[in-house]
Amino acid sequence: MNPALLASVLSLLATVAAQPYDHYDMGWVNGYRQGFNFQCPHGELLVAIRSYFSEKEGSDRLWSFECQAVPDNLGEPSDCWWDDINRAGLEWTSTCTRNGLVAGVQSKYFESTLDREWQFYCCYYKRRCPYSCMKTTDVPEYYREEGEMVIPAYGYFIRGAQTTFSGVLRDRQWKYILCRLTDFDCEFENL
């Protein structure tokens, strides 16, 4: 191999390797150990969630969210509300009550548990009912990794989440509950 070419390639690789991964430029809604309140604009729902873990910053995560307008056939939300608080340091499952869908999230950090409490901002559309619900795989796949979840197909919405918390690793994994909505009004509430 040409020694000049090899030196050039090695120099380029050394430059690239020396570049720090700048996770601070990702549109995070919070700083480490800070609470946050994120709500999608009216008529939009959460479709993507991203987080970045730091052990030295209190075993906390930075969070980023993306929203998307709902399909026209759903119309405007009939009602929106903050659902139940899910406590720090515990495993929990939470779905929006009254057939609601997640349109926002708020969270508060607790030094005593090195964890957060969570609350979903939910909206419901007329009397539409969720169906074809499923859970995602663990996000992140392993504790302390960067996490990312994007709705896998148009027409699915986040209805809630199931989480596990590791008291040893001081981190949380999520399985998001995704559902479709009926095209017709229904008279009952799915739990």
Side-chain angles (χ1 to χ4, degrees), residues 106-125:
Q106 68 180 1
S107 180
K108 181 179 176 185
Y109 181 80
F110 289 89
E111 289 282 346
S112 60
T113 57
L114 299 179
D115 192 27
R116 295 177 162 275
E117 71 178 16
W118 295 90
Q119 191 173 21
F120 291 132
Y121 183 67
C122 304
C123 293
Y124 98 113
Y125 290 79

Side-chain angles (χ1 to χ4, degrees), residues 91-144:
E91 296 185 359
W92 50 263
T93 299
S94 179
T95 55
C96 287
T97 56
R98 300 175 37 220
N99 293 331
L101 302 170
V102 178
V105 180
Q106 68 180 1
S107 180
K108 181 179 176 185
Y109 181 80
F110 289 89
E111 289 282 346
S112 60
T113 57
L114 299 179
D115 192 27
R116 295 177 162 275
E117 71 178 16
W118 295 90
Q119 191 173 21
F120 291 132
Y121 183 67
C122 304
C123 293
Y124 98 113
Y125 290 79
K126 295 184 184 175
R127 298 176 64 81
R128 305 300 171 100
C129 288
Y131 74 99
S132 292
C133 296
M134 62 180 172
K135 289 181 189 170
T136 64
T137 57
D138 285 328
V139 179
E141 185 175 1
Y142 300 102
Y143 290 109
R144 296 181 168 193

Side-chain angles (χ1 to χ4, degrees), residues 26-32 34-39 50 61-66 105-107 116 118:
M26 299 298 294
W28 307 115
V29 300
N30 67 303
Y32 291 113
Q34 294 179 351
F36 64 84
N37 178 318
F38 176 84
Q39 291 180 36
R50 184 172 191 170
R61 288 181 174 273
L62 299 174
W63 290 89
S64 175
F65 305 96
E66 291 183 33
V105 180
Q106 68 180 1
S107 180
R116 295 177 162 275
W118 295 90

Side-chain angles (χ1 to χ4, degrees), residues 45-65:
L45 295 169
L46 227 53
V47 295
I49 301 169
R50 184 172 191 170
S51 66
Y52 184 85
F53 181 83
S54 174
E55 182 178 10
K56 70 180 181 178
E57 293 290 347
S59 293
D60 195 20
R61 288 181 174 273
L62 299 174
W63 290 89
S64 175
F65 305 96

Side-chain angles (χ1 to χ4, degrees), residues 12 30 40 43-44 46 65 75 84 100 111 161 164:
L12 179 62
N30 67 303
C40 294
E44 295 188 13
L46 227 53
F65 305 96
D84 297 334
E111 289 282 346
T164 56

